[in-house]
């Protein structure tokens, strides 16, 4: 039995994410991954049962990192405005600090090719659900469907992030998401939740 090597496993994981971000899921073959990671194809199977297992483990790893970063200093008991602003800041931190993770996460979540049955549930959704429930109970927002809540609370944020990552505005001018611009958009968004 071959011994597991943490450095090799890390290299396989990193190269797999990079390949998926650059070439999509169809661009990931175990042969190409082995070559990119500097290991034999057989080595990959020491760490992962198959391609689906590799993808699910990568997603779970990214979800854990996302959860850790976005829940830093956050409590579901926070006021709605304070907690949502912290979510915007923490999510931006995740995107800036882990750009490959973010792009992989987006591709994975939106791919019809992926079987989501082996995905672990993180405490993230539970915290967000409790946060919204507390805000409704305190009268800080009205009760709405989760999809409507998410669209209003984060749709603006992720649109700004896309402009930031492309470094271009709608008018094709240079664009950088500053805290001032983010706060301006946040203040406009938060008004829509007023009862």
């Amino acid at each position: 039995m071959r011994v597991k090597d943490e450095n090799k496993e890390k290299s396989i994981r990193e190269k797999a994410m990079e390949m998926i971000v650059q070439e999509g899921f169809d661009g990931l073959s175990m042969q190409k991954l082995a070559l990119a990671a500097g290991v034999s194809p057989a080595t990959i199977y020491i760490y992962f049962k198959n391609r689906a297992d590799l993808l699910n483990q990568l997603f779970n790893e990214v979800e854990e990192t996302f959860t850790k970063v976005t829940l830093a200093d956050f409590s579901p008991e926070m006021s709605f405005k304070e907690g949502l602003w912290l979510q915007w800041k923490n999510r931006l931190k995740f995107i800036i600090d882990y750009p490959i993770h973010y792009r992989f996460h987006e591709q994975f979540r939106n791919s019809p090719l992926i079987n989501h049955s082996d995905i672990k549930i993180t405490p993230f959704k539970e915290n967000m659900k409790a946060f919204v429930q507390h805000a409704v109970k305190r009268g800080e927002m009205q009760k709405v469907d989760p999809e409507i809540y998410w669209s209003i609370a984060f749709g603006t944020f992720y649109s700004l992030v896309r402009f930031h990552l492309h470094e271009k505005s709608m008018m094709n001018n240079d664009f950088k998401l500053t805290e001032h611009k983010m706060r301006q958009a946040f203040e406009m968004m938060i008004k829509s939740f007023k009862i």
Side-chain angles (χ1 to χ4, degrees):
M1 185 167 138
R2 294 175 66 179
V3 178
K4 291 187 176 185
D5 178 331
E6 284 183 21
N7 291 328
K8 283 184 182 177
E9 183 179 7
K10 184 179 178 193
S11 177
I12 293 166
R13 286 174 181 271
E14 287 174 357
K15 291 299 177 188
M17 263 196 268
E18 286 172 16
M19 287 175 71
I20 290 164
V21 164
Q22 291 167 3
E23 303 172 39
F25 290 102
D26 291 337
L28 179 70
S29 74
M30 296 308 214
Q31 197 73 28
K32 281 171 66 177
L33 175 57
L35 185 62
V39 300
S40 73
T43 300
I44 295 174
Y45 293 101
I46 294 172
Y47 306 99
F48 309 99
K49 292 181 225 166
N50 51 40
R51 185 175 184 269
D53 180 47
L54 167 64
L55 293 176
N56 286 333
Q57 283 195 44
L58 288 175
F59 185 77
N60 287 332
E61 176 188 329
V62 169
E63 274 285 289
E64 285 174 18
T65 304
F66 174 78
T67 298
K68 183 181 80 178
V69 174
T70 55
L71 293 183
D73 300 321
F74 177 82
S75 166
E77 305 289 333
M78 290 176 130
S79 75
F80 184 61
K81 186 173 180 179
E82 180 188 13
L84 204 49
W85 175 243
L86 184 59
Q87 275 300 300
W88 276 38
K89 290 196 315 185
N90 285 354
R91 286 168 191 242
L92 184 61
K93 179 173 177 41
F94 171 75
I95 292 163
I96 301 301
D97 291 353
Y98 299 93
I100 299 293
H101 283 62
Y102 169 69
R103 290 176 62 203
F104 170 82
H105 190 263
E106 288 299 296
Q107 282 184 270
F108 191 100
R109 284 179 49 230
N110 296 306
S111 174
L113 305 171
I114 300 302
N115 175 2
H116 294 258
S117 62
D118 293 330
I119 304 304
K120 294 182 207 169
I121 301 299
T122 66
F124 177 77
K125 284 187 181 176
E126 293 161 14
N127 274 270
M128 291 300 104
K129 183 178 177 183
F131 173 65
V132 171
Q133 287 172 338
H134 290 308
V136 169
K137 193 182 291 184
R138 289 190 301 253
E140 295 173 304
M141 65 171 280
Q142 60 185 308
K143 187 174 182 179
V144 294
D145 291 339
E147 297 78 14
I148 294 171
Y149 165 76
W150 190 94
S151 297
I152 295 169
F154 298 107
T156 301
F157 169 77
Y158 283 109
S159 290
L160 289 170
V161 164
R162 278 192 289 282
F163 289 126
H164 178 77
L165 294 176
H166 289 108
E167 300 179 350
K168 291 288 178 193
S169 71
M170 289 179 69
M171 305 308 287
N172 211 27
N173 297 320
D174 291 343
F175 182 86
K176 182 173 172 50
L177 182 57
T178 62
E179 184 158 342
H180 173 73
K181 288 176 185 173
M182 195 162 84
R183 178 57 92 168
Q184 186 179 23
F186 178 82
E187 292 297 337
M188 293 175 74
M189 175 279 300
I190 206 75
K191 287 177 184 171
S192 63
F193 282 106
K194 300 286 186 206
I195 296 177

